Amino acid sequence: MIVLVIALLVGILIGLFIPISIPQDYSSYVAVGLLAALDSIFGALKSNLKGDFKIDIFISGFVGNTLIAMLLAYMGDMLGIPLYQAAIVAFGVRIFQNFGEMRRAILLKNKSFSKEEKNQ
């Protein structure tokens, strides 16, 4: 899990210090790809908090979700329908759900830890 966090931080630093411009034609593909990647990262963090993180599930979800989201955006462009919005809504909802579950898991862990300290 440490490797994933380090890779995320390195990616953020690269993004901040190396100027990369994305053509406007590809902006919807990049947006849904980033949301799919963030969804997978938040899902991995949630799984790690629950103790059932598996790297193969993370990698397959990361790559699969990103490709499906970008394919959905591409198909929408070909049909003239903004299908990328469906991916944005779906991944946005999942990101907030994962964040909520992570928050609950952390708060419950801290609450049970503080009760154990008081009992000793």
Side-chain angles (χ1 to χ4, degrees):
M1 189 66 190
I2 298 294
V3 173
L4 297 176
V5 172
I6 291 171
L8 177 65
L9 292 175
V10 168
I12 289 171
L13 290 174
I14 289 172
L16 289 174
F17 294 112
I18 297 177
I20 298 173
S21 63
I22 299 167
Q24 191 168 356
D25 293 341
Y26 302 122
S27 63
S28 63
Y29 305 127
V30 173
V32 295
L34 286 173
L35 276 176
L38 281 173
D39 173 53
S40 295
I41 291 168
F42 274 92
L45 292 172
K46 179 189 75 166
S47 295
N48 189 42
L49 281 173
K50 291 185 174 184
D52 61 352
F53 174 77
K54 297 196 178 15
I55 191 71
D56 54 341
I57 292 173
F58 168 72
I59 291 172
S60 65
F62 186 89
V63 173
N65 285 347
T66 303
L67 289 176
I68 289 171
M70 294 173 101
L71 181 65
L72 187 65
Y74 176 74
M75 287 175 26
D77 280 350
M78 294 295 108
L79 295 171
I81 302 169
L83 288 178
Y84 71 93
Q85 291 177 350
I88 289 173
V89 170
F91 288 124
V93 167
R94 285 179 43 149
I95 287 170
F96 282 107
Q97 285 175 340
N98 284 334
F99 180 73
E101 289 182 36
M102 287 172 22
R103 183 182 45 80
R104 279 189 225 73
I106 291 170
L107 290 174
L108 290 175
K109 235 183 233 187
N110 288 339
K111 192 179 244 185
S112 65
F113 181 71
S114 64
K115 283 183 183 179
E116 288 174 8
E117 280 184 348
K118 288 180 183 177
N119 291 337
Q120 292 179 357

